[in-house]
Amino acid sequence: MKKCVFCEKKFKELSCEHIIPNALCGHLKSSELLCVNCNNTLGSTIDKLLNSKFDMIINMFGLARENGTPKPASAELVSGRPCSILHGGQPVGEDVQIEVSTDAEDHVVLHITAPENKRKLLNTEISKFVAQNKDFFKRHDIDYKKAIPNIIKGVSEKIEKDEVEHRHNHEMVHFTLTLGGTDFYRSILKILYLFLLHHKKDAKINRQEIVKKIVS
């Protein structure tokens, strides 16, 4: 019968614990260290702190987690535009950019750059842009109020028919990684503690003092 390295209670039910957390792409596991209760409790507290902390790095290098793929990580392009970093390192703009011009026959042409699957944001930005540039549309004998639904409908139809250009953004990215704080160091101490017990069960360490620092 095993004994939990935290609460020291004997347990029969095995509880698989990622010694190196899944959030850090760890594959090292053990079913002989934690009871179900301690595993669940620590998993929902200090382990949770690491769940998204390193998503940016994991996505940029396309690292594989055993369970699940990190969500897109928020960042900023050097131009100041907000973006997300997908798993694999591809930056995707999170804003909508709209420019207006006229062609050789003086027809009004809109140039729109927008992220995929954000139709509500796209429609909102189109409405705002047209309203803010109503004088331009008036000079071309266009009722801007009637133009808004027509433009939204036309853009939607092009998206549905996939008559759009799919571009990859190659602009450099800025992001901030902030580490530290009591809870962060508790989570790191837990990793070191379990790693040591897994590889060197007879290690002479002050278990009570370490456990106290982790669970307090």
Side-chain angles (χ1 to χ4, degrees):
M1 184 177 291
K2 306 300 180 184
K3 187 169 69 171
C4 179
V5 298
F6 282 98
C7 68
E8 296 189 339
K9 294 180 180 178
K10 294 181 179 180
F11 60 88
K12 296 180 181 179
E13 183 180 357
L14 299 180
S15 179
C16 186
E17 162 71 9
H18 278 82
I19 296 173
I20 308 299
N22 180 61
L24 300 181
C25 302
H27 295 268
L28 181 62
K29 298 178 291 185
S30 174
S31 297
E32 302 180 351
L33 296 173
L34 274 70
C35 66
V36 174
N37 183 60
C38 286
N39 196 355
N40 291 338
T41 300
L42 294 171
S44 61
T45 54
I46 63 173
D47 285 355
K48 191 176 182 179
L49 181 70
L50 298 176
N51 283 353
S52 59
K53 180 68 73 173
F54 297 95
D55 283 357
M56 175 64 70
I57 295 174
I58 292 170
N59 281 354
M60 288 184 70
F61 291 96
L63 304 178
R65 282 179 175 168
E66 188 174 55
N67 300 317
T69 299
K71 295 179 180 180
S74 297
E76 186 178 273
L77 299 173
V78 292
S79 61
R81 292 178 57 201
C83 72
S84 291
I85 305 299
L86 306 181
H87 192 255
Q90 177 61 47
V92 177
E94 288 297 322
D95 62 345
V96 176
Q97 293 188 318
I98 305 176
E99 296 178 357
V100 64
S101 64
T102 54
D103 60 15
E105 298 178 353
D106 203 34
H107 295 146
V108 174
V109 180
L110 287 179
H111 306 270
I112 302 174
T113 301
E116 292 186 72
N117 304 319
K118 290 204 173 182
R119 299 284 284 277
K120 185 176 180 179
L121 173 64
L122 175 59
N123 294 345
T124 298
E125 292 302 313
I126 289 174
S127 300
K128 287 168 56 178
F129 179 85
V130 175
Q132 290 169 354
N133 293 272
K134 58 185 178 182
D135 291 340
F136 174 88
F137 289 94
K138 285 180 179 180
R139 288 198 299 271
H140 290 81
D141 298 321
I142 298 174
D143 184 334
Y144 81 93
K145 290 184 179 179
K146 293 181 180 179
I148 291 174
N150 291 334
I151 293 172
I152 291 176
K153 180 180 178 182
V155 171
S156 296
E157 289 176 350
K158 285 186 175 294
I159 293 174
E160 296 296 334
K161 295 177 182 179
D162 198 25
E163 297 177 349
V164 295
E165 182 180 355
H166 297 276
R167 294 182 179 179
H168 294 294
N169 200 311
H170 299 291
E171 192 176 337
M172 294 185 69
V173 174
H174 285 162
F175 71 93
T176 301
L177 177 62
T178 304
L179 304 176
T182 302
D183 288 340
F184 175 77
Y185 291 117
R186 286 169 62 206
S187 64
I188 299 301
L189 180 59
K190 173 177 174 281
I191 295 172
L192 296 175
Y193 176 55
L194 295 182
F195 186 83
L196 183 59
L197 293 180
H198 179 74
H199 280 282
K200 199 170 183 181
K201 295 180 174 59
D202 59 346
K204 294 181 180 180
I205 58 176
N206 190 332
R207 294 194 182 192
Q208 290 184 339
E209 186 63 25
I210 292 176
V211 169
K212 181 179 178 182
K213 290 181 180 296
I214 293 173
V215 302
S216 61

